[in-house]
Amino acid sequence: SREEVETGLTFCGFICFSSCIKTDSKSSVRSLRRSSHQLMMITGDNPYTACHVAHELSMSNIEKTLILTHNGERWQWQSPDRSVSVPCKNLRHLRDIRTRYDLCVTGEGMPHLSNQLGSEEWVQLVRIFARMSPKQKEQVVIALNRRYYTLMCGDGTNDVGALKHAHVGVSLLSRAPTGDQASELPPPSLFQMTRERRQKELMKQ
């Protein structure tokens, strides 16, 4: 068990990992916002990491984000620094707090909201979906498809299902494919562009 494994250890320190935001990410997000797209983040990352990245990318004009948190007794919306706590009530209340805060829901909180609110409409009000499993990513996209046309960008195997369900699925590659791989993919000219130019070209198409 975890209790047995973590017994008799000597603390030596912390190891910090940093995954920097790609240089063209901010300009890509800025272009999407200017073109009146509604931006959302669906990730398997920790909710605090996701909220920080969303803030760094300026995904919206709203400064503070509330995370759906279970405190042992009840669910509530809470800011990362715990300076703001709002009870989780009904859909009408959710629409109200959405005007003042961005909202973040984790994979653990997703079934709770669906059961409590009795509707998937809440999905449209959330900015960040964190700690999502591949199946939950699919469920979010499917729910959004009922009202919107969706474009999903993903760069990992965990995104494949959601990419397939979106009206437009964009797989982001770290480098241009070569050899036999290149012949199976869309026009090579797209892969010779920067990521920002490639996204703009795909949006035009």
Side-chain angles (χ1 to χ4, degrees):
S1 67
R2 178 172 179 175
E3 289 76 15
E4 293 172 332
V5 172
E6 295 180 352
T7 299
L9 301 178
T10 301
F11 177 74
C12 296
F14 291 106
I15 299 178
C16 297
F17 296 91
S18 177
S19 180
C20 298
I21 295 174
K22 294 180 176 63
T23 54
D24 57 354
S25 295
K26 286 187 178 182
S27 57
S28 296
V29 168
R30 185 165 55 249
S31 296
L32 289 169
R33 285 189 59 190
R34 287 176 177 173
S35 58
S36 299
H37 286 77
Q38 181 175 338
L39 302 183
M40 296 178 175
M41 179 188 295
I42 311 175
T43 179
D45 288 345
N46 181 282
Y48 296 105
T49 301
C51 289
H52 173 74
V53 172
H55 178 73
E56 289 294 302
L57 291 175
S58 301
M59 287 186 64
S60 79
N61 291 324
I62 301 175
E63 286 297 319
K64 187 155 288 191
T65 302
L66 302 184
I67 303 171
L68 184 62
T69 307
H70 189 254
N71 63 5
E73 298 180 358
R74 59 192 176 93
W75 290 88
Q76 63 182 1
W77 297 99
Q78 190 173 71
S79 60
D81 60 4
R82 301 189 178 184
S83 62
V84 178
S85 292
V86 180
C88 181
K89 295 182 180 179
N90 51 42
L91 193 59
R92 181 177 179 180
H93 181 250
L94 192 63
R95 292 193 192 99
D96 178 58
I97 62 175
R98 178 63 180 81
T99 61
R100 292 170 284 141
Y101 304 100
D102 275 337
L103 302 177
C104 173
V105 172
T106 63
E108 181 184 9
M110 186 173 173
H112 167 76
L113 274 185
S114 295
N115 292 333
Q116 178 173 329
L117 303 181
S119 167
E120 292 183 338
E121 188 177 342
W122 64 267
V123 173
Q124 305 163 17
L125 305 174
V126 174
R127 176 77 62 186
I128 302 167
F129 297 87
R131 280 286 187 230
M132 291 282 148
S133 68
K135 190 64 178 178
Q136 287 176 319
K137 291 181 179 182
E138 292 181 41
Q139 292 170 350
V140 170
V141 172
I142 291 172
L144 291 172
N145 284 347
R146 296 191 176 100
R147 181 167 181 178
Y148 302 105
Y149 287 104
T150 57
L151 184 150
M152 168 80 179
C153 295
D155 61 359
T157 55
N158 290 339
D159 302 318
V160 171
L163 288 171
K164 287 183 177 180
H165 282 291
H167 292 104
V168 179
V170 180
S171 180
L172 303 178
L173 305 179
S174 57
R175 60 183 177 182
T178 57
D180 295 337
Q181 293 178 330
S183 63
E184 300 173 1
L185 294 167
S189 58
L190 289 177
F191 295 97
Q192 295 168 0
M193 304 176 186
T194 63
R195 186 196 305 223
E196 180 183 0
R197 288 185 57 202
R198 188 161 67 243
Q199 289 174 342
K200 289 180 179 178
E201 187 67 25
L202 286 168
M203 286 167 59
K204 291 177 183 178
Q205 294 179 9

